[in-house]
């Protein structure tokens, strides 16, 4: 007999809130922004391409909240998760930011000096950029998948790694690989969203019954 | 109660969807839990719409922990 597990209930509750595909669309569009930015810098000599992914969270934040309010909450109801889950996510974010800062410092130092180790670092990174980005993407998505319990993030990480490895060995430009990954994730998000809307039709009466009952 | 134990609060619709029971059935369960002092029902307005949020009280959380412990004991006894 299987023991009842509160962790399972917690996981199921959390997962049900992210089965709407919005998080996938958000991640996919974010990756697309990187791809589009790099393509713009190549085609239109748009040197400030990194502005696109940088401003994206500020633009998408309100859209995300509004989409949750108008699509998810009327269909499956509202839940406020405790601070425990939030703390775990915050720890992952801070850890990633510290790691990213460390990586940027090493790269910045490597780019500003001509010492042997810096040249060796550049010779390692520049020709293997896509492999490195692929491994980092797989590691970060696995970390998030483990933290929030969304197993499809593992798949996204592995697909990204696979596609970037393929792009590296077939000399497909990095920007095209990013656009393909972004489109794939957005596509999956749209499928999930459509399924979610189909499986959870708007039930006007439920909230009214709740409000009358108490 | 396990659903409410793992979150801070949830509304009626969320609980109904998670538990897959009818509104009437859920309403009757919640009324009993409220009478026992295990569940607090918070009525509020969100964007001018009435909203009913439900959360476990301290007493409810303590009672659930106690129930969980006794359930664990039963499972352990069954295994040995």
């Amino acid at each position: 007999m299987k023991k009842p597990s509160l962790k399972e209930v917690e996981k199921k509750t959390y997962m049900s809130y992210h089965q709407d595909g919005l998080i996938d669309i958000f991640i996919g569009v974010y990756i697309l922004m990187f791809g589009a930015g790099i393509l713009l810098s190549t085609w239109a000599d748009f040197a400030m391409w990194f502005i696109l992914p940088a401003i994206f969270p500020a633009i998408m934040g309100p859209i995300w909240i509004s989409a949750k309010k108008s699509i998810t909450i009327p269909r499956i109801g509202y839940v406020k998760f405790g601070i425990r889950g939030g703390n775990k996510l915050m720890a992952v974010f801070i850890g990633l930011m510290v790691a990213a800062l460390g990586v940027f410092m090493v790269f910045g130092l490597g780019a500003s000096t001509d010492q042997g180790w810096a040249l060796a670092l550049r010779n390692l990174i520049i020709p293997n950029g896509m492999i490195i980005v692929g491994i980092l993407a797989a590691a970060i998505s696995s970390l998030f998948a483990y933290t929030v319990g969304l197993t499809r993030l593992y798949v996204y990480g592995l697909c990204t790694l696979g596609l970037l490895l393929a792009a590296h060995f077939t000399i497909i430009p990095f920007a095209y690989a990013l656009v393909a990954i972004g489109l794939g994730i957005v596509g999956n998000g749209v499928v999930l969203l459509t399924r979610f809307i189909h499986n959870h039709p708007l039930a006007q009466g439920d909230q009214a019954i709740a409000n009358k009952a108490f | 109660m396990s659903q409410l134990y793992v979150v801070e609060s949830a509304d009626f619709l969320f609980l109904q969807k998670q538990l897959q029971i009818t509104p009437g059935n859920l309403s009757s369960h919640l009324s009993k839990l409220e009478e026992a002092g295990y569940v607090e029902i918070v009525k509020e307005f969100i964007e001018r719409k009435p909203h009913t949020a439900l959360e476990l009280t301290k007493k409810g959380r303590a009672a659930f922990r106690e129930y969980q412990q006794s359930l664990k004991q039963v499972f352990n006894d069954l295994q040995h």
Side-chain angles (χ1 to χ4, degrees), chain A residues 58-113:
Chain A
I59 298 168
M60 283 303 277
I63 296 173
W64 161 275
I65 293 166
S66 165
K68 278 279 177 196
K69 273 185 186 170
S70 58
I71 298 169
T72 316
I73 293 171
R75 285 178 168 82
I76 63 159
Y78 178 73
V79 61
K80 200 188 275 181
F81 295 99
I83 53 166
R84 217 174 67 184
N87 281 349
K88 264 201 306 191
L89 261 184
M90 189 54 78
V92 172
F93 268 121
I94 292 170
L96 278 177
M97 282 175 78
V98 171
L101 195 68
V103 170
F104 273 115
M105 279 173 72
V106 171
F107 284 174
L109 207 63
S112 63
T113 176

Short mmCIF file of all heavy atoms in Angstrom, two decimals, chain A residues 58-113:
data_model
loop_
_atom_site.label_atom_id
_atom_site.label_comp_id
_atom_site.label_asym_id
_atom_site.label_seq_id
_atom_site.Cartn_x
_atom_site.Cartn_y
_atom_site.Cartn_z
N ALA A 58 10.38 43.14 -17.89
CA ALA A 58 9.59 44.31 -17.47
C ALA A 58 8.30 44.41 -18.29
O ALA A 58 7.25 44.81 -17.78
CB ALA A 58 10.41 45.58 -17.65
N ILE A 59 8.38 44.02 -19.57
CA ILE A 59 7.18 44.08 -20.43
C ILE A 59 6.26 42.89 -20.12
O ILE A 59 5.04 43.03 -20.03
CB ILE A 59 7.58 44.05 -21.93
CG1 ILE A 59 8.43 45.29 -22.26
CG2 ILE A 59 6.35 43.99 -22.83
CD1 ILE A 59 9.10 45.20 -23.62
N MET A 60 6.90 41.72 -19.98
CA MET A 60 6.10 40.51 -19.85
C MET A 60 5.51 40.31 -18.46
O MET A 60 4.52 39.58 -18.32
CB MET A 60 6.94 39.28 -20.24
CG MET A 60 7.11 39.10 -21.73
SD MET A 60 5.56 38.99 -22.66
CE MET A 60 5.15 37.26 -22.45
N GLY A 61 6.12 40.92 -17.45
CA GLY A 61 5.62 40.77 -16.07
C GLY A 61 4.13 41.09 -15.96
O GLY A 61 3.34 40.22 -15.57
N PRO A 62 3.72 42.33 -16.34
CA PRO A 62 2.30 42.67 -16.25
C PRO A 62 1.42 41.80 -17.16
O PRO A 62 0.30 41.46 -16.79
CB PRO A 62 2.25 44.13 -16.71
CG PRO A 62 3.63 44.64 -16.54
CD PRO A 62 4.55 43.49 -16.73
N ILE A 63 1.96 41.42 -18.35
CA ILE A 63 1.17 40.57 -19.26
C ILE A 63 0.93 39.20 -18.62
O ILE A 63 -0.16 38.64 -18.69
CB ILE A 63 1.89 40.43 -20.63
CG1 ILE A 63 1.99 41.80 -21.31
CG2 ILE A 63 1.16 39.44 -21.54
CD1 ILE A 63 2.81 41.82 -22.58
N TRP A 64 2.00 38.69 -17.97
CA TRP A 64 1.93 37.39 -17.29
C TRP A 64 0.84 37.42 -16.20
O TRP A 64 -0.01 36.53 -16.14
CB TRP A 64 3.31 37.10 -16.72
CG TRP A 64 3.37 36.07 -15.64
CD1 TRP A 64 3.16 36.25 -14.31
CD2 TRP A 64 3.64 34.67 -15.80
NE1 TRP A 64 3.31 35.08 -13.63
CE2 TRP A 64 3.61 34.09 -14.52
CE3 TRP A 64 3.94 33.88 -16.90
CZ2 TRP A 64 3.85 32.75 -14.31
CZ3 TRP A 64 4.18 32.53 -16.68
CH2 TRP A 64 4.13 31.97 -15.42
N ILE A 65 0.88 38.46 -15.38
CA ILE A 65 -0.08 38.57 -14.27
C ILE A 65 -1.51 38.68 -14.82
O ILE A 65 -2.43 38.01 -14.36
CB ILE A 65 0.26 39.79 -13.37
CG1 ILE A 65 1.59 39.53 -12.65
CG2 ILE A 65 -0.84 40.07 -12.35
CD1 ILE A 65 2.21 40.75 -12.00
N SER A 66 -1.65 39.50 -15.87
CA SER A 66 -2.95 39.69 -16.46
C SER A 66 -3.47 38.38 -17.08
O SER A 66 -4.66 38.06 -16.97
CB SER A 66 -2.82 40.80 -17.50
OG SER A 66 -3.89 40.82 -18.31
N ALA A 67 -2.57 37.62 -17.74
CA ALA A 67 -2.97 36.34 -18.35
C ALA A 67 -3.38 35.35 -17.27
O ALA A 67 -4.37 34.62 -17.43
CB ALA A 67 -1.82 35.79 -19.18
N LYS A 68 -2.64 35.32 -16.16
CA LYS A 68 -3.00 34.42 -15.06
C LYS A 68 -4.38 34.78 -14.51
O LYS A 68 -5.18 33.90 -14.22
CB LYS A 68 -1.96 34.53 -13.93
CG LYS A 68 -0.70 33.70 -14.16
CD LYS A 68 -0.93 32.26 -13.77
CE LYS A 68 0.29 31.40 -14.04
NZ LYS A 68 -0.01 29.96 -14.04
N LYS A 69 -4.63 36.09 -14.40
CA LYS A 69 -5.91 36.55 -13.85
C LYS A 69 -7.06 36.25 -14.79
O LYS A 69 -8.16 35.94 -14.34
CB LYS A 69 -5.84 38.07 -13.61
CG LYS A 69 -5.28 38.43 -12.25
CD LYS A 69 -5.37 39.93 -12.06
CE LYS A 69 -4.68 40.38 -10.80
NZ LYS A 69 -4.56 41.84 -10.75
N SER A 70 -6.83 36.41 -16.09
CA SER A 70 -7.96 36.25 -17.01
C SER A 70 -8.11 34.83 -17.56
O SER A 70 -9.21 34.45 -17.97
CB SER A 70 -7.84 37.24 -18.17
OG SER A 70 -6.63 37.03 -18.83
N ILE A 71 -7.04 34.04 -17.55
CA ILE A 71 -7.15 32.69 -18.12
C ILE A 71 -7.15 31.61 -17.02
O ILE A 71 -8.04 30.77 -16.96
CB ILE A 71 -5.99 32.41 -19.12
CG1 ILE A 71 -6.06 33.39 -20.29
CG2 ILE A 71 -6.05 30.97 -19.63
CD1 ILE A 71 -4.85 33.37 -21.20
N THR A 72 -6.14 31.64 -16.15
CA THR A 72 -5.95 30.54 -15.21
C THR A 72 -6.91 30.60 -14.02
O THR A 72 -7.61 29.62 -13.75
CB THR A 72 -4.49 30.54 -14.69
OG1 THR A 72 -3.63 30.76 -15.78
CG2 THR A 72 -4.14 29.23 -14.02
N ILE A 73 -6.93 31.74 -13.33
CA ILE A 73 -7.71 31.82 -12.08
C ILE A 73 -9.22 31.59 -12.30
O ILE A 73 -9.82 30.83 -11.55
CB ILE A 73 -7.40 33.15 -11.34
CG1 ILE A 73 -5.95 33.11 -10.85
CG2 ILE A 73 -8.36 33.37 -10.17
CD1 ILE A 73 -5.42 34.41 -10.30
N PRO A 74 -9.84 32.18 -13.35
CA PRO A 74 -11.27 31.89 -13.52
C PRO A 74 -11.56 30.42 -13.81
O PRO A 74 -12.68 29.96 -13.61
CB PRO A 74 -11.67 32.75 -14.73
CG PRO A 74 -10.59 33.74 -14.88
CD PRO A 74 -9.34 33.12 -14.37
N ARG A 75 -10.56 29.68 -14.28
CA ARG A 75 -10.79 28.29 -14.64
C ARG A 75 -10.48 27.31 -13.52
O ARG A 75 -11.20 26.33 -13.34
CB ARG A 75 -9.97 27.93 -15.89
CG ARG A 75 -10.58 28.51 -17.13
CD ARG A 75 -9.76 28.22 -18.35
NE ARG A 75 -10.53 28.56 -19.53
CZ ARG A 75 -10.64 29.80 -20.01
NH1 ARG A 75 -9.99 30.78 -19.42
NH2 ARG A 75 -11.39 30.05 -21.07
N ILE A 76 -9.37 27.54 -12.81
CA ILE A 76 -9.04 26.55 -11.76
C ILE A 76 -9.04 27.16 -10.36
O ILE A 76 -8.74 26.48 -9.39
CB ILE A 76 -7.69 25.84 -12.02
CG1 ILE A 76 -6.52 26.82 -12.01
CG2 ILE A 76 -7.71 25.03 -13.29
CD1 ILE A 76 -5.19 26.13 -11.76
N GLY A 77 -9.38 28.43 -10.27
CA GLY A 77 -9.46 29.05 -8.96
C GLY A 77 -8.13 29.68 -8.54
O GLY A 77 -7.13 29.57 -9.24
N TYR A 78 -8.20 30.31 -7.36
CA TYR A 78 -7.03 31.04 -6.88
C TYR A 78 -6.41 30.32 -5.69
O TYR A 78 -7.11 29.86 -4.80
CB TYR A 78 -7.43 32.46 -6.47
CG TYR A 78 -6.31 33.29 -5.91
CD1 TYR A 78 -5.32 33.80 -6.73
CD2 TYR A 78 -6.24 33.54 -4.54
CE1 TYR A 78 -4.28 34.54 -6.21
CE2 TYR A 78 -5.19 34.29 -4.01
CZ TYR A 78 -4.23 34.79 -4.85
OH TYR A 78 -3.19 35.52 -4.34
N VAL A 79 -5.09 30.24 -5.70
CA VAL A 79 -4.39 29.64 -4.56
C VAL A 79 -3.19 30.50 -4.22
O VAL A 79 -2.52 31.03 -5.10
CB VAL A 79 -3.98 28.17 -4.86
CG1 VAL A 79 -3.05 28.06 -6.03
CG2 VAL A 79 -3.37 27.51 -3.64
N LYS A 80 -2.96 30.65 -2.93
CA LYS A 80 -1.78 31.39 -2.49
C LYS A 80 -0.83 30.38 -1.88
O LYS A 80 -1.17 29.73 -0.88
CB LYS A 80 -2.19 32.44 -1.44
CG LYS A 80 -1.16 33.55 -1.28
CD LYS A 80 -1.51 34.45 -0.12
CE LYS A 80 -2.49 35.53 -0.46
NZ LYS A 80 -2.78 36.41 0.70
N PHE A 81 0.33 30.21 -2.52
CA PHE A 81 1.29 29.25 -1.98
C PHE A 81 2.03 29.89 -0.82
O PHE A 81 2.22 31.10 -0.79
CB PHE A 81 2.27 28.81 -3.06
CG PHE A 81 1.60 28.05 -4.16
CD1 PHE A 81 1.26 28.67 -5.34
CD2 PHE A 81 1.30 26.72 -4.00
CE1 PHE A 81 0.61 27.98 -6.35
CE2 PHE A 81 0.65 26.01 -4.99
CZ PHE A 81 0.31 26.64 -6.18
N GLY A 82 2.46 29.06 0.10
CA GLY A 82 3.17 29.57 1.28
C GLY A 82 4.52 30.13 0.90
O GLY A 82 4.94 30.05 -0.26
N ILE A 83 5.23 30.69 1.87
CA ILE A 83 6.52 31.32 1.56
C ILE A 83 7.60 30.28 1.32
O ILE A 83 8.64 30.58 0.79
CB ILE A 83 6.99 32.29 2.66
CG1 ILE A 83 6.98 31.62 4.03
CG2 ILE A 83 6.17 33.56 2.67
CD1 ILE A 83 7.72 32.39 5.08
N ARG A 84 7.35 28.99 1.70
CA ARG A 84 8.37 27.97 1.56
C ARG A 84 8.81 27.80 0.10
O ARG A 84 9.98 27.86 -0.22
CB ARG A 84 7.86 26.65 2.11
CG ARG A 84 8.93 25.86 2.82
CD ARG A 84 8.36 24.64 3.46
NE ARG A 84 7.88 23.70 2.48
CZ ARG A 84 7.26 22.57 2.78
NH1 ARG A 84 7.04 22.27 4.04
NH2 ARG A 84 6.85 21.75 1.86
N GLY A 85 7.82 27.64 -0.79
CA GLY A 85 8.11 27.49 -2.22
C GLY A 85 8.80 28.73 -2.76
O GLY A 85 9.75 28.65 -3.54
N GLY A 86 8.32 29.91 -2.33
CA GLY A 86 8.91 31.17 -2.77
C GLY A 86 10.35 31.28 -2.34
O GLY A 86 11.20 31.72 -3.11
N ASN A 87 10.64 30.84 -1.12
CA ASN A 87 12.02 30.90 -0.61
C ASN A 87 12.96 30.02 -1.41
O ASN A 87 14.09 30.39 -1.67
CB ASN A 87 12.05 30.48 0.86
CG ASN A 87 11.60 31.60 1.78
OD1 ASN A 87 11.45 32.74 1.33
ND2 ASN A 87 11.36 31.29 3.02
N LYS A 88 12.46 28.83 -1.76
CA LYS A 88 13.29 27.90 -2.54
C LYS A 88 13.65 28.53 -3.89
O LYS A 88 14.80 28.51 -4.31
CB LYS A 88 12.51 26.59 -2.79
CG LYS A 88 12.85 25.52 -1.79
CD LYS A 88 12.52 24.13 -2.25
CE LYS A 88 11.12 23.88 -2.71
NZ LYS A 88 10.76 22.48 -2.91
N LEU A 89 12.62 29.11 -4.54
CA LEU A 89 12.84 29.76 -5.85
C LEU A 89 13.81 30.93 -5.72
O LEU A 89 14.70 31.11 -6.55
CB LEU A 89 11.52 30.25 -6.41
CG LEU A 89 10.84 29.39 -7.45
CD1 LEU A 89 9.61 30.06 -7.97
CD2 LEU A 89 11.78 29.04 -8.58
N MET A 90 13.61 31.73 -4.65
CA MET A 90 14.47 32.89 -4.43
C MET A 90 15.92 32.44 -4.24
O MET A 90 16.85 33.07 -4.77
CB MET A 90 13.96 33.67 -3.20
CG MET A 90 14.63 35.00 -2.99
SD MET A 90 14.55 36.09 -4.41
CE MET A 90 12.89 36.66 -4.30
N ALA A 91 16.13 31.34 -3.50
CA ALA A 91 17.48 30.82 -3.27
C ALA A 91 18.13 30.42 -4.59
O ALA A 91 19.31 30.71 -4.83
CB ALA A 91 17.43 29.63 -2.31
N VAL A 92 17.33 29.80 -5.46
CA VAL A 92 17.86 29.40 -6.78
C VAL A 92 18.22 30.64 -7.60
O VAL A 92 19.30 30.72 -8.20
CB VAL A 92 16.83 28.53 -7.55
CG1 VAL A 92 17.28 28.28 -8.97
CG2 VAL A 92 16.63 27.22 -6.84
N PHE A 93 17.34 31.66 -7.58
CA PHE A 93 17.60 32.90 -8.32
C PHE A 93 18.88 33.57 -7.84
O PHE A 93 19.73 33.96 -8.64
CB PHE A 93 16.42 33.88 -8.17
CG PHE A 93 15.40 33.75 -9.25
CD1 PHE A 93 14.09 33.44 -8.96
CD2 PHE A 93 15.75 33.93 -10.59
CE1 PHE A 93 13.14 33.30 -9.96
CE2 PHE A 93 14.81 33.80 -11.59
CZ PHE A 93 13.50 33.48 -11.27
N ILE A 94 19.01 33.69 -6.51
CA ILE A 94 20.19 34.37 -5.95
C ILE A 94 21.45 33.57 -6.31
O ILE A 94 22.45 34.14 -6.74
CB ILE A 94 20.03 34.58 -4.43
CG1 ILE A 94 18.92 35.59 -4.17
CG2 ILE A 94 21.34 35.05 -3.79
CD1 ILE A 94 18.50 35.73 -2.73
N GLY A 95 21.36 32.24 -6.16
CA GLY A 95 22.49 31.38 -6.50
C GLY A 95 22.92 31.57 -7.94
O GLY A 95 24.11 31.70 -8.25
N LEU A 96 21.91 31.62 -8.84
CA LEU A 96 22.21 31.78 -10.27
C LEU A 96 22.82 33.15 -10.56
O LEU A 96 23.76 33.27 -11.36
CB LEU A 96 20.93 31.63 -11.09
CG LEU A 96 20.49 30.20 -11.39
CD1 LEU A 96 19.17 30.20 -12.13
CD2 LEU A 96 21.54 29.46 -12.20
N MET A 97 22.30 34.17 -9.87
CA MET A 97 22.82 35.53 -10.11
C MET A 97 24.27 35.63 -9.64
O MET A 97 25.11 36.22 -10.32
CB MET A 97 21.96 36.57 -9.38
CG MET A 97 20.66 36.84 -10.13
SD MET A 97 19.57 37.93 -9.26
CE MET A 97 20.35 39.49 -9.61
N VAL A 98 24.58 35.01 -8.48
CA VAL A 98 25.95 35.02 -7.97
C VAL A 98 26.86 34.25 -8.93
O VAL A 98 27.96 34.72 -9.28
CB VAL A 98 26.01 34.41 -6.54
CG1 VAL A 98 27.45 34.21 -6.09
CG2 VAL A 98 25.27 35.31 -5.55
N ALA A 99 26.36 33.09 -9.42
CA ALA A 99 27.15 32.29 -10.37
C ALA A 99 27.41 33.08 -11.65
O ALA A 99 28.53 33.10 -12.17
CB ALA A 99 26.43 30.99 -10.67
N ALA A 100 26.33 33.75 -12.15
CA ALA A 100 26.45 34.54 -13.40
C ALA A 100 27.45 35.67 -13.21
O ALA A 100 28.28 35.94 -14.10
CB ALA A 100 25.10 35.09 -13.80
N LEU A 101 27.39 36.31 -12.04
CA LEU A 101 28.31 37.42 -11.75
C LEU A 101 29.76 36.91 -11.77
O LEU A 101 30.65 37.54 -12.35
CB LEU A 101 27.97 38.02 -10.39
CG LEU A 101 28.59 39.37 -10.08
CD1 LEU A 101 27.99 40.45 -10.97
CD2 LEU A 101 28.35 39.75 -8.61
N GLY A 102 29.96 35.74 -11.15
CA GLY A 102 31.29 35.13 -11.12
C GLY A 102 31.79 34.83 -12.52
O GLY A 102 32.94 35.14 -12.87
N VAL A 103 30.90 34.25 -13.34
CA VAL A 103 31.27 33.91 -14.73
C VAL A 103 31.62 35.18 -15.51
O VAL A 103 32.64 35.24 -16.21
CB VAL A 103 30.12 33.12 -15.41
CG1 VAL A 103 30.37 32.97 -16.90
CG2 VAL A 103 29.97 31.76 -14.78
N PHE A 104 30.79 36.23 -15.37
CA PHE A 104 31.05 37.49 -16.07
C PHE A 104 32.38 38.11 -15.63
O PHE A 104 33.13 38.65 -16.46
CB PHE A 104 29.91 38.50 -15.85
CG PHE A 104 28.81 38.32 -16.84
CD1 PHE A 104 27.55 37.92 -16.43
CD2 PHE A 104 29.01 38.56 -18.19
CE1 PHE A 104 26.52 37.75 -17.34
CE2 PHE A 104 28.00 38.40 -19.11
CZ PHE A 104 26.74 37.98 -18.69
N MET A 105 32.69 38.00 -14.32
CA MET A 105 33.94 38.57 -13.82
C MET A 105 35.14 37.84 -14.43
O MET A 105 36.11 38.45 -14.86
CB MET A 105 33.98 38.50 -12.28
CG MET A 105 33.21 39.64 -11.63
SD MET A 105 33.10 39.45 -9.86
CE MET A 105 34.78 39.82 -9.39
N VAL A 106 35.04 36.50 -14.48
CA VAL A 106 36.13 35.71 -15.08
C VAL A 106 36.28 36.07 -16.55
O VAL A 106 37.39 36.30 -17.05
CB VAL A 106 35.88 34.19 -14.89
CG1 VAL A 106 36.86 33.36 -15.68
CG2 VAL A 106 35.95 33.83 -13.40
N PHE A 107 35.11 36.14 -17.28
CA PHE A 107 35.16 36.46 -18.70
C PHE A 107 35.68 37.89 -18.93
O PHE A 107 36.48 38.14 -19.83
CB PHE A 107 33.77 36.32 -19.34
CG PHE A 107 33.36 34.89 -19.55
CD1 PHE A 107 32.10 34.58 -19.99
CD2 PHE A 107 34.25 33.85 -19.30
CE1 PHE A 107 31.70 33.27 -20.19
CE2 PHE A 107 33.86 32.53 -19.48
CZ PHE A 107 32.60 32.24 -19.93
N GLY A 108 35.21 38.81 -18.09
CA GLY A 108 35.63 40.21 -18.22
C GLY A 108 37.12 40.35 -18.02
O GLY A 108 37.82 41.03 -18.78
N LEU A 109 37.60 39.64 -16.99
CA LEU A 109 39.05 39.66 -16.70
C LEU A 109 39.83 39.02 -17.85
O LEU A 109 40.87 39.51 -18.28
CB LEU A 109 39.29 38.89 -15.39
CG LEU A 109 40.50 39.26 -14.58
CD1 LEU A 109 40.38 40.70 -14.09
CD2 LEU A 109 40.65 38.33 -13.38
N GLY A 110 39.24 37.92 -18.37
CA GLY A 110 39.88 37.21 -19.48
C GLY A 110 39.96 38.05 -20.74
O GLY A 110 40.92 37.99 -21.50
N ALA A 111 38.91 38.88 -20.96
CA ALA A 111 38.87 39.71 -22.18
C ALA A 111 39.79 40.91 -22.07
O ALA A 111 40.22 41.46 -23.09
CB ALA A 111 37.44 40.17 -22.43
N SER A 112 40.07 41.35 -20.85
CA SER A 112 40.84 42.58 -20.68
C SER A 112 42.35 42.34 -20.52
O SER A 112 43.11 43.28 -20.34
CB SER A 112 40.31 43.36 -19.47
OG SER A 112 40.51 42.57 -18.32
N THR A 113 42.76 41.11 -20.57
CA THR A 113 44.19 40.84 -20.41
C THR A 113 44.68 39.89 -21.51
O THR A 113 43.89 39.14 -22.07
CB THR A 113 44.48 40.25 -19.00
OG1 THR A 113 45.85 39.91 -18.94
CG2 THR A 113 43.67 39.01 -18.71
#
